Amino acid sequence: MDPATRQVVRDATPDEPAAVAALLADVYAAFRPRLSDDAWPRYLGEIVDVRSRLVDSQLIVADHDGLLVGTVALYPEATRSSLEHWPEGWASIRALAVRADARGLGVGRSLAVECIRRARLCGAKAIGLHTASFMTSATRLYRSLGFERRPDDDIEVGEMFIGRPLPPEFSWQAQAYWLDLA
Ligand SMILES: CC(C)(COP(=O)(O)OP(=O)(O)OC[C@H]1O[C@@H](n2cnc3c(N)ncnc32)[C@H](O)[C@@H]1OP(=O)(O)O)[C@@H](O)C(=O)NCCC(=O)NCCS
């Protein structure tokens, strides 16, 4: 992919949710080995359920010369984000993904920066998100934008998706990060 070509971060159009769901399915397939057989369908099903998220979140996409290369969901009111428990008045970020062949070009950063811009516009006091220690690019990106750890809001992945902890070989923490906008 040519980094010099035009990249736009914008709201998804009404006919794009299916393409966004396909992009998310492709990207998150990399995490299949991290989940047990019973947790995986719930984990992936929740990630690709773009239409349900449209009710309470803004679906943002990165478009590179007309090609959908990345996406993120911003909840202006984080208490509306299912599975997580953020304080009132916070925004939250979910399901950030960039196509593998478009990485390292600043697309993920642009999507996250757009979320921060929009959250500030909405008057959010802070932004919360969950990631994982093995999502190394994402963790580095969030930290470079000023996000800090908030371990008290970590959630064990099985508890988050199927209501019980996964066996030790699959168990990991969805690690909480936050950015203070005050
Ligand atoms: C995380 C992700 C969205 C980053 O997208 P991206 O477009 O490659 O990111 P960018 O090019 O904007 O890079 C942003 C930062 O990520 C980090 N980064 C990017 N590529 C990296 C790599 N190969 N290794 C380590 N860090 C990397 C860097 O800190 C970079 O900052 P820099 O601009 O100072 O170098 C992408 O890797 C992805 O989709 N990963 C799989 C899904 C995922 O983990 N989502 C997050 C769930 S919480």
Side-chain angles (χ1 to χ4, degrees):
M1 184 162 289
D2 178 1
T5 51
R6 211 162 66 95
Q7 186 199 124
V8 180
V9 170
R10 57 168 173 79
D11 286 313
T13 59
D15 60 345
E16 281 180 321
V20 171
L23 185 155
L24 287 166
D26 271 359
V27 168
Y28 280 77
F31 303 134
R32 173 65 185 95
R34 301 285 181 171
L35 286 125
S36 58
D37 288 348
D38 53 346
W40 174 248
R42 295 289 288 277
Y43 177 82
L44 187 67
E46 205 281 330
I47 293 286
V48 303
D49 189 5
V50 175
R51 287 184 191 281
S52 296
R53 277 199 294 275
L54 285 176
V55 179
D56 294 308
S57 70
Q58 301 172 9
L59 181 60
I60 303 169
V61 296
D63 169 325
H64 196 109
D65 271 354
L67 186 68
L68 186 69
V69 292
T71 181
V72 69
L74 173 72
Y75 285 81
E77 179 47 68
T79 55
R80 307 292 302 168
S81 172
S82 59
L83 308 176
E84 303 174 293
H85 308 285
W86 299 115
E88 274 197 32
W90 285 34
S92 73
I93 292 176
R94 296 240 22 232
L96 172 68
V98 172
R99 271 173 53 146
D101 60 359
R103 292 192 191 152
L105 303 175
V107 176
R109 176 173 294 274
S110 300
L111 286 163
V113 165
E114 177 63 4
C115 288
I116 296 168
R117 187 187 72 81
R118 292 184 184 207
R120 279 191 201 282
L121 270 181
C122 296
K125 294 180 213 153
I127 307 179
L129 62 84
H130 284 96
T131 186
S133 60
F134 55 83
M135 297 178 182
T136 47
S137 296
T139 302
R140 203 170 122 183
L141 169 61
Y142 298 137
R143 283 193 180 279
S144 75
L145 290 169
F147 283 83
E148 291 174 11
R149 283 281 285 127
R150 192 174 154 100
D152 286 354
D153 287 314
D154 287 2
I155 310 175
E156 195 276 337
V157 63
E159 296 282 9
M160 196 171 192
F161 289 97
I162 59 171
R164 61 177 184 279
L166 297 190
E169 64 271 30
F170 292 111
S171 186
W172 46 271
Q173 295 293 316
Q175 294 186 328
Y177 280 78
W178 77 299
L179 179 69
D180 190 355
L181 299 180

